[in-house]
């Protein structure tokens, strides 16, 4: 297939480029409104108990679930109870109640509730709910916000609440993404100019990356028509699109230059490059896609949408690298080295510094293996103390109005019941009196639990297992459509998703579950989300492991290398996971990095970071293993093949890792904490994998294993002989493929001879 593709690209390069241009223009038009169609939720299991409770609350108790909060402040020296100011506050609440998408408006001036008034008397709360799905609610907020935010007569209004926080996170992510692209592209081009030694060659990978990002954005826009897609999918698309496309382009351009240097005509060099390096690109894309596809096993749309985005960007980047880039190379030919800014070193200009390091590592293999493995395991130790929660307003920068208002609600309103937990009872068709009695029994039972201040229900208010207040007219609204709503007010006044509230949810379910009650609320959503992640972990890991084992076996024919690849890839992620806990959970470096540590980690982020980082480490692993295998097949000497493979790919992997880390670090400069953690964490994993694991640990372990590296039982050898592929050229020859490569000369690790395929990789 690749042989035919290479031949067609050489014969009709303009056809491929025109088709790519048309697709890119269509993608620009189609993906223009993608940011407006992305969501900021997706961390809850839609089939969970908490999700079922939330759907009932939204349908029958919208006033009990406010998502819009107006924090109203009075002028200096005034009080919210002053007659004139109170009249303005009441009028403001009444005006909000008449807005079409708003229901359940509750204000201090309407109810006189002490919890809706700040302890200094200078602020009061108006709470309401904007009805509709996420898109309609967000559109309504964008319309209402300018009319209510800021000065309202003598009053000043700040808008917050779950809806405002989510909307500000979404808009901040979009702004930060645009800024990160402006940072990443010029820096990437500078790195590539240094790597290639020429401006024109350096521009080609960036071209492929831009085509990939635009095309993937269009595909994501299509996907939003069928399912919800997280706003973080855009960050992943940009990072992986630029990173992988540039990785693959580095591989393609480097191989094309090698073929030209070996004497091939430009057309033959392109066809040969597609046929050889193209195999590595395909294997790499499949392994990365398999790692990202593991997120499809989780029912949370945050992870599933990132799987859609990741798989799409991987396949599109591979397609662009195998069609658009070869077409450009076919037209450029030897002009690919135009606009040179520094001279490339040839194959006979001395030993490679990286080769000297590899020889030293292989001579000291036991020491290097133990030392590097020990250091990586120590760096991962903080992850043993990981605590998982969910994102809240503290994700936003300190300058955010929504965050500042939310913090004011927490600090200035002593009695505001932020941690209340909704519990739904289904009356099962019972008579009203019987249902009322059952509600009272369950409310009393729950109010006696440790950590519960009181339980409010249609049967009245209960404390310490006893009724302290009879039902009021307002309580009658708690019973509707066959349901009765109980509100459990917790003693703990920390965030509604804190560990204490999660423990309370578990206690409520244990106590009320046998009575047919369902527990919901933010803390319950966190508990259910973590349970859903736990259920999906095993099948996700099985897919990643099986995909890795099968693909690496097909590439190498070894039964040992696939297992080794999995172990070393996992080991390369330890530093990332340790840093996630040490930096983002515990708050180390929170000052320099500009975020607020919350004491826990968003439960979905480690899953996402594992899939992305594991896939990228497989990307580099495939580059290295494919070249070692090629040299091994031609020369037969194991240590010499390892040395030659390291020399052939060392500069490539270093350059690719540097480019990818630049992209992810630019993502990590986001003002949103989760985006910062994703970008900086994956950048760290990429650098550790390329500079430590591939440079030190892989050659050391391969030196220890020796020829046993290539062992496979006879049945598997027969399977590989029929189905296996490798980057090295196959038996077929023909004018369109160009000359066969120079034969590999066996060499000792201390005195290598170099061929055209083994030259200084840093110069590419």
């Amino acid at each position: 297939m690749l042989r035919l593709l290479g031949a067609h690209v050489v014969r009709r390069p303009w056809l491929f480029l025109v088709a790519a241009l048309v697709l890119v223009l269509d993608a620009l038009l189609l993906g223009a409104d993608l940011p407006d169609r992305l969501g900021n939720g997706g961390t809850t299991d839609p089939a969970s108990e908490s999700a079922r409770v939330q759907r009932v609350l939204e349908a029958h108790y919208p006033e009990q679930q406010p998502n819009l909060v107006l924090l109203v402040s009075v002028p200096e020296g005034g009080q919210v109870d002053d007659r004139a100011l109170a009249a303005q506050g009441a009028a403001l609440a009444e005006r909000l109640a008449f807005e079409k998408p708003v229901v359940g408006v509750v204000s201090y001036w309407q109810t006189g509730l002490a919890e809706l008034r700040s302890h200094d008397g200078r602020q009061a709360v108006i709470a309401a709910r904007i009805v509709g799905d996420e898109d309609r609610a967000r559109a309504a907020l964008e319309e209402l916000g300018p009319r209510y935010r800021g000065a309202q007569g003598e009053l000043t209004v700040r808008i917050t609440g779950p809806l405002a926080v989510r909307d500000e996170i979404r808009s901040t992510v979009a702004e930060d993404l645009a800024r990160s692209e402006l940072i990443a592209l010029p820096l990437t081009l500078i790195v590539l100019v240094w790597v290639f030694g020429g401006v024109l060659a350096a521009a080609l990978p960036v071209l492929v990356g831009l085509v990939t990002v635009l095309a993937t954005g269009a595909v994501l826009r299509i996907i939003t028509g069928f399912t919800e897609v997280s706003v973080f999918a855009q960050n992943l698309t940009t990072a992986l699109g630029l990173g992988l496309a540039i990785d693959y382009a580095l591989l393609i351009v480097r191989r094309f230059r090698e073929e030209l240097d070996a004497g091939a005509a430009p057309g033959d060099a392109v066809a040969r490059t597609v046929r050889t390096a193209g195999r590595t690109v395909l294997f790499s894309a499949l392994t990365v896609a398999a790692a990202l596809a593991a997120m499809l096993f989780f029912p949370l749309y945050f992870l599933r949408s990132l799987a859609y985005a990741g798989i799409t960007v991987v396949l599109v980047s591979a397609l662009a690298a195998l069609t658009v880039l070869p077409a450009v190379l076919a037209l450029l030919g030897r002009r690919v080295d135009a606009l040179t800014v520094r001279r490339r070193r040839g194959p006979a200009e001395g030993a490679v510094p990286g080769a000297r390091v590899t020889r030293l590592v292989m001579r000291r293999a036991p020491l290097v293996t133990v030392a590097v493995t020990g250091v990586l395991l120590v760096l991962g130790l903080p992850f043993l103390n990981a605590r998982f929660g969910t994102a809240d307003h503290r994700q936003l920068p300190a300058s955010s109005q929504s965050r500042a208002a939310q913090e004011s609600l927490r600090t200035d309103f002593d009695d505001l019941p932020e941690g209340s937990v909704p519990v739904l009872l289904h009356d099962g068709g019972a008579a009203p009196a019987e249902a009322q009695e059952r509600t009272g029994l369950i409310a009393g039972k729950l109010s006696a639990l440790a950590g519960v201040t009181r339980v409010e229900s249609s049967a009245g208010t209960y404390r310490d297992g006893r009724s302290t207040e009879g039902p009021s007219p307002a309580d009658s609204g708690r019973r509707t459509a066959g349901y009765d709503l109980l509100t459990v007010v917790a003693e703990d006044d920390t965030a509604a998703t804190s560990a204490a509230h999660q423990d309370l949810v578990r206690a409520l379910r244990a106590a009320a579950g046998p009575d047919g009650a369902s527990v919901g609320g933010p803390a319950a959503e966190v508990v259910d989300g973590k349970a859903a992640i736990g259920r999906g972990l095993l099948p996700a890991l099985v897919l990643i492991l099986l995909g890795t084992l099968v693909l690496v076996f097909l590439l190498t024919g070894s039964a040992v290398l696939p297992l080794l690849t999995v172990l070393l890839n996992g080991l390369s992620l330890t530093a990332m996971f340790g840093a996630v806990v040490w930096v983002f959970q515990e708050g180390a470096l929170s000052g320099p990095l500009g975020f607020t540590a919350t004491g826990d980690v968003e439960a979905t982020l480690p899953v996402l970071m594992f899939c992305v980082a594991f896939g990228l480490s497989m990307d580099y692993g495939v580059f290295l293993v494919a070249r070692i295998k090629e040299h091994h097949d031609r020369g037969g000497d194991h240590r010499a093949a390892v040395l030659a493979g390291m020399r052939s790919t060392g500069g490539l992997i270093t350059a690719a890792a540097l480019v990818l880390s630049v992209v992810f670090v630019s993502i990590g400069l986001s003002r949103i904490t989760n985006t910062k953690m994703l970008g900086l964490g994956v950048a760290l994993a990429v650098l550790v994998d390329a500079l430590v694991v591939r440079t030190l640990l892989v050659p050391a372990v391969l030196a220890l294993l020796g020829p046993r590296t290539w062992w496979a039982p006879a049945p598997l050898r027969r399977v590989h002989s029929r189905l296996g592929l490798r980057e090295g050229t196959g038996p077929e020859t023909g004018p369109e493929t160009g000359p066969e490569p120079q034969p590999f000369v066996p060499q000792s690790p201390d005195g290598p001879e170099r061929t055209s395929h083994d030259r200084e990789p840093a110069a590419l």
Side-chain angles (χ1 to χ4, degrees):
M1 179 185 67
L2 292 173
R3 184 169 174 264
L4 291 174
L5 176 62
H8 283 300
V9 169
V10 170
R11 285 198 293 265
R12 302 178 183 86
W14 281 111
L15 178 62
F16 283 87
L17 292 180
V18 170
L21 178 61
V22 171
L23 289 176
V24 167
L25 292 177
D26 289 341
L28 277 171
L29 296 175
L30 184 59
D33 65 338
L34 175 63
D36 297 329
R37 300 180 63 88
L38 300 176
N40 189 42
T43 57
T44 59
D45 178 5
S48 66
E49 178 179 324
S50 58
R52 294 193 299 270
V53 170
Q54 185 62 28
R55 287 192 289 269
V56 173
L57 293 176
E58 290 176 352
H60 302 293
Y61 301 92
E63 70 283 353
Q64 300 288 339
Q65 294 289 296
N67 58 7
L68 176 66
V69 176
L70 272 59
L71 183 58
V72 184
S73 303
V74 300
E76 186 72 31
Q79 293 282 303
V80 295
D81 293 316
D82 293 348
R83 183 183 299 274
L85 297 176
Q88 294 181 48
L92 181 66
E94 184 177 2
R95 177 156 63 96
L96 181 64
F98 279 96
E99 300 287 355
K100 186 175 181 181
V102 177
V103 298
V105 175
V106 177
S107 73
Y108 168 72
W109 297 283
Q110 170 196 7
T111 64
L113 292 173
E115 56 261 36
L116 300 181
R117 176 183 181 273
S118 65
H119 55 73
D120 64 358
R122 295 195 59 247
Q123 298 180 92
V125 167
I126 301 174
R129 182 168 186 86
I130 298 179
V131 296
D133 60 21
E134 184 174 337
D135 289 337
R136 288 196 291 269
R138 189 171 64 208
L141 178 64
E142 291 175 355
E143 180 183 348
L144 294 173
R147 299 211 302 265
Y148 286 87
R149 186 181 289 113
Q152 301 290 324
E154 295 181 83
L155 307 177
T156 302
V157 176
R158 290 183 289 172
I159 297 178
T160 187
L163 187 60
V165 169
R166 288 198 302 268
D167 185 65
E168 191 164 354
I169 288 176
R170 182 190 62 82
S171 61
T172 304
V173 167
E175 294 170 4
D176 291 346
L177 180 61
R179 185 182 61 180
S180 71
E181 291 172 347
L182 293 176
I183 295 172
L185 286 175
L187 289 179
T188 297
L189 188 58
I190 292 172
V191 172
L192 291 173
V193 169
W194 171 77
V195 169
F196 281 109
V199 175
L200 185 57
L204 297 181
V206 176
L207 171 66
V208 176
L210 291 175
V211 170
T212 300
V213 171
L214 292 174
T216 305
V219 174
L220 284 180
R221 171 61 179 82
I222 295 173
I223 294 175
T224 60
F226 302 95
T227 185
E228 294 176 290
V229 177
S230 170
V231 66
F232 289 95
Q234 263 198 307
N235 295 92
L236 189 65
T237 296
T238 298
L240 284 182
L242 286 175
L244 286 177
I246 289 172
D247 282 0
Y248 298 154
L250 281 168
L251 185 67
I252 295 292
V253 174
R254 183 211 62 175
R255 191 70 183 223
F256 175 70
R257 278 176 152 183
E258 287 186 358
E259 298 297 339
L260 291 179
D261 291 344
D268 293 338
V270 170
R272 229 177 147 67
T273 296
V274 173
R275 178 180 156 204
T276 55
R279 289 192 178 109
T280 301
V281 169
L282 281 181
F283 268 95
S284 172
L286 290 174
T287 54
V288 178
L292 296 173
M295 289 187 287
L296 294 174
F297 285 101
F298 301 97
L300 292 69
Y301 93 70
F302 173 80
L303 292 175
R304 294 176 70 90
S305 65
L306 292 172
Y308 303 143
I311 294 171
T312 300
V313 77
V314 169
L315 299 180
V316 171
S317 62
L319 180 63
L322 293 176
T323 56
V324 177
L325 183 57
V328 175
L329 292 175
L331 293 174
L332 289 176
R334 298 186 183 278
R335 292 190 300 274
V336 71
D337 289 325
L339 303 178
T340 300
V341 296
R342 69 177 178 87
R343 185 173 66 90
R344 279 200 299 144
R345 285 181 286 180
E349 295 188 34
V352 184
R356 291 196 293 271
V357 173
T358 302
R359 285 195 293 269
L360 178 62
V361 166
M362 295 175 73
R363 285 198 295 267
R364 302 287 187 269
L367 176 61
V368 172
T369 301
V370 172
V372 173
T373 302
V375 170
L376 292 177
L377 290 176
V378 168
L379 291 176
L381 286 178
F383 194 69
L384 297 177
N385 298 319
R387 295 184 297 273
F388 301 108
T390 191
D392 58 22
H393 63 277
R394 289 171 292 178
Q395 288 283 305
L396 288 163
S399 58
S400 160
Q401 183 185 105
S402 296
R403 172 177 172 170
Q406 201 71 29
E407 294 286 356
S408 181
L409 289 175
R410 177 172 295 180
T411 58
D412 299 336
F413 292 75
D414 293 338
D415 299 321
L416 196 65
E418 183 181 356
S420 61
V421 180
V423 178
L424 274 181
L425 300 179
H426 196 285
D427 61 21
E434 181 183 349
Q436 185 91 339
E437 181 181 0
R438 175 172 173 261
T439 297
L441 290 174
I442 296 175
K445 178 179 172 182
L446 298 183
S447 70
L449 293 176
V452 175
T453 298
R454 65 183 185 276
V455 176
E456 300 170 355
S457 71
S458 63
T461 300
Y462 289 75
R463 302 173 190 269
D464 299 322
R466 302 186 306 274
S467 174
T468 58
E469 299 176 26
S472 66
D475 290 330
S476 61
R478 293 179 174 274
R479 183 180 298 280
T480 181
Y483 292 97
D484 200 351
L485 173 64
L486 280 65
T487 301
V488 179
V489 180
E491 291 179 354
D492 188 274
D493 61 355
T494 56
T497 57
S498 67
H501 285 101
Q502 294 177 44
D503 291 339
L504 177 60
V505 165
R506 297 185 185 96
L508 291 171
R509 285 177 171 174
D515 298 316
S518 300
V519 181
E525 291 176 354
V526 175
V527 171
D528 292 338
K530 291 195 292 187
I533 291 174
R535 291 191 301 271
L537 275 179
L538 181 59
L541 289 174
V542 169
L543 173 64
I544 291 175
L545 293 179
L546 284 180
T548 300
L549 294 175
V550 170
L551 289 169
V552 176
F553 166 74
L554 291 177
L555 182 65
T556 64
S558 166
V560 177
L561 270 175
L563 296 172
L564 181 63
T565 300
V566 169
L567 291 175
L568 294 183
N569 282 5
L571 194 60
S572 70
L573 307 184
T574 54
M576 176 186 73
F577 284 125
V580 162
V581 172
W582 184 63
V583 174
F584 291 94
Q585 176 180 296
E586 304 302 333
L589 304 181
S590 59
L593 294 179
F595 70 93
T596 300
T598 60
D600 54 35
V601 176
E602 168 74 57
T604 55
L605 260 294
V607 175
L608 170 62
M609 295 170 72
F610 172 81
C611 292
V612 172
F614 189 92
L616 293 175
S617 65
M618 278 301 306
D619 186 39
Y620 299 145
V622 168
F623 286 3
L624 176 58
V625 168
R627 217 59 196 272
I628 292 176
K629 171 65 174 174
E630 180 183 351
H631 290 300
H632 179 269
D633 288 348
R634 283 191 280 160
D637 182 82
H638 171 72
R639 292 176 68 89
V642 172
L643 182 62
M646 290 293 298
R647 188 170 58 243
S648 299
T649 60
L652 170 69
I653 291 176
T654 301
L658 185 58
V659 169
L660 197 59
S661 64
V662 166
V663 174
F664 272 101
V665 166
S666 69
I667 296 292
L669 297 178
S670 171
R671 293 166 289 172
I672 301 299
T673 304
N674 277 353
T675 309
K676 189 186 299 290
M677 181 166 64
L678 172 66
L680 298 181
V682 174
L684 176 62
V686 167
L687 292 175
V688 168
D689 182 74
L691 302 181
V692 178
V693 174
R694 304 297 157 195
T695 303
L696 302 176
L697 197 54
V698 169
V701 173
L702 292 181
L704 288 175
L705 289 174
R708 292 183 295 273
T709 301
W710 309 101
W711 177 85
L716 288 182
R717 288 199 299 271
R718 287 193 292 271
V719 170
H720 184 264
S721 66
R722 296 183 59 186
L723 302 177
L725 293 173
R726 53 186 177 272
E727 184 181 340
T729 54
E732 68 270 29
T733 59
E736 75 277 13
T737 63
E740 289 298 317
Q742 301 277 339
F744 175 68
V745 180
Q747 50 198 251
S748 73
D750 296 312
E753 297 182 34
R754 306 177 71 198
T755 72
S756 64
H757 289 272
D758 305 326
R759 65 180 44 85
E760 165 62 78
L764 294 180

